[in-house]
């Protein structure tokens, strides 16, 4: 595997009782790039994410991350090595403050993630770093807000901050703008661009304006297989891609 690529799959396949959801997918993600994975409904995008992050076992094929075969590893092992994922559904603690949510992500640095008997004051040393991360995602003024009271778009920004707390080399963003209004979409696009400045991003995204605005490379899936790959200008004119999207108004997996 070339050092140019942080992530590579070889004939990645996942079957569910005879149904092939992901069919021999070969994916290569360049270091420092923003790479989008798109496709019509049922194309297998989220299943690919689940395979990459070990939420599902691989039926056949291999996954290489930073040159190492991670196919047999567990989800926690992959995350510890810097491949960290966000989800389509909001995954924050609603009744903690915004600061406390980020602090939980940082707690691993202390080696006390499961020391539930320790007083909260033992975590105060993480507050400065937590506030730095909140500033990065424009949530500094919301640090003491109870998370359930955040607007939806701001919750998605908080999820990115908690992902950054794990210091990822590769961020996997699953539908980061799903369900957002235009203003929130614009804010999150700029946020992704900012946090991608010194890391790699692989994202599943249904909003083609977001994809065209952000992506260096786009891989199009259809029926579990790679249909096309390249920059937006090339992929968007590919007759096979246009055919795959005919009649599809939303490309979620």
């Amino acid at each position: 595997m070339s050092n140019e690529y942080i992530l590579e799959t070889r004939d990645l396949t996942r079957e569910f009782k005879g149904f092939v959801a992901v069919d021999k997918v070969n994916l290569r993600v360049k270091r420092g790039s923003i790479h989008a994975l798109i496709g019509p409904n049922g194309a297998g995008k989220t299943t690919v994410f689940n395979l990459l992050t070990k939420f599902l076992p691989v039926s056949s094929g291999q996954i290489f991350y930073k040159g190492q075969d991670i196919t047999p590893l567990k989800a926690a092992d992959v995350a510890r090595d810097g491949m960290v994922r966000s989800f389509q559904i909001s995954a924050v603690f609603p009744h903690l403050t915004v600061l406390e949510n980020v602090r939980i992500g940082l707690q691993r640095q202390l080696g006390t993630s499961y020391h539930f008997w320790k007083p909260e004051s033992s975590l105060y040393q993480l507050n400065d770093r937590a506030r730095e991360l909140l500033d990065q995602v424009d949530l500094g003024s919301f640090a003491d807000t109870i998370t359930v009271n955040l607007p939806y778009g701001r919750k998605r920004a908080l999820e990115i901050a908690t992902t950054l707390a794990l210091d990822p080399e590769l961020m996997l963003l699953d539908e980061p703008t799903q369900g957002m209004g235009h203003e929130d979409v614009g804010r999150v696009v700029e946020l992704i661009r900012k946090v991608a400045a010194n890391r790699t991003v692989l994202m599943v995204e249904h909003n083609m304006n977001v994809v065209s605005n952000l992506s260096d490379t786009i891989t199009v899936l259809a029926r579990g297989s790679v249909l096309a790959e390249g920059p937006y200008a090339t992929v968007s004119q590919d007759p096979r891609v246009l055919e795959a999207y005919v009649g599809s108004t939303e490309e979620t997996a």
Side-chain angles (χ1 to χ4, degrees):
M1 177 178 172
S2 169
N3 193 51
E4 179 182 6
Y5 299 98
I6 191 170
L7 179 70
E8 181 178 347
T9 67
R10 298 178 186 171
D11 292 335
L12 186 65
T13 300
R14 172 66 191 190
E15 297 183 26
F16 295 95
K17 297 183 178 179
F19 171 71
V20 182
V22 175
D23 189 8
K24 296 182 179 179
V25 167
N26 294 306
L27 181 69
R28 295 197 298 176
V29 179
K30 286 186 177 181
R31 291 179 181 273
S33 70
I34 300 178
H35 193 125
L37 191 62
I38 70 170
N41 187 38
K45 305 181 297 295
T46 295
T47 303
V48 168
F49 259 35
N50 286 336
L51 295 172
L52 294 176
T53 52
K54 320 309 297 177
F55 284 82
L56 281 175
V58 172
S59 297
S60 63
Q62 292 174 289
I63 304 168
F64 292 86
Y65 173 60
K66 297 193 293 187
Q68 302 298 314
D69 185 353
I70 65 166
T71 313
L73 298 186
K74 296 179 180 179
D77 298 323
V78 172
R80 274 192 291 267
D81 200 26
M83 187 195 301
V84 183
R85 173 188 182 176
S86 73
F87 292 85
Q88 286 186 27
I89 301 171
S90 182
V92 291
F93 295 99
H95 300 297
L96 297 180
T97 68
V98 169
L99 178 72
E100 288 167 342
N101 267 276
V102 177
R103 204 167 61 189
I104 287 173
L106 290 169
Q107 190 174 348
R108 188 186 67 170
Q109 299 174 8
L110 301 180
T112 61
S113 298
Y114 301 105
H115 294 186
F116 301 114
W117 60 87
K118 285 185 174 290
E120 182 186 8
S121 59
S122 68
L123 302 178
Y124 289 170
Q125 61 187 295
L126 300 175
N127 284 358
D128 288 346
R129 177 56 180 156
R131 291 183 185 278
E132 287 177 11
L133 290 172
L134 290 176
D135 286 340
Q136 284 186 35
V137 299
D138 299 323
L139 286 178
S141 61
F142 293 87
D144 297 323
T145 301
I146 301 299
T147 299
V148 71
N149 296 324
L150 282 180
Y152 179 72
R154 298 288 189 178
K155 286 179 184 174
R156 300 298 280 183
L158 176 57
E159 289 175 16
I160 292 176
T162 57
T163 303
L164 290 174
L166 298 175
D167 196 23
E169 291 183 59
L170 173 60
M171 291 181 67
L172 283 76
L173 304 179
D174 196 355
E175 300 281 9
T177 69
Q178 185 180 50
M180 289 186 184
H182 180 73
E183 180 180 342
D184 282 336
V185 168
R187 182 184 296 116
V188 170
V189 165
E190 292 310 310
L191 173 56
I192 293 171
R193 198 191 311 278
K194 182 164 67 172
V195 301
N198 57 353
R199 55 180 54 85
T200 308
V201 173
L202 175 63
M203 66 178 184
V204 167
E205 179 55 58
H206 73 280
N207 187 320
M208 290 301 104
N209 288 329
V210 172
V211 170
S212 63
N213 199 333
L214 281 175
S215 305
D216 301 301
T217 303
I218 300 166
T219 299
V220 185
L221 291 183
R223 298 177 182 174
S225 300
V226 174
L227 186 65
E229 187 171 274
Y232 181 80
T234 300
V235 166
S236 63
Q237 298 301 315
D238 190 310
R240 298 169 299 170
V241 175
L242 296 174
E243 182 181 355
Y245 276 99
V246 168
S248 176
T249 58
E250 187 176 24
E251 304 84 39
T252 53

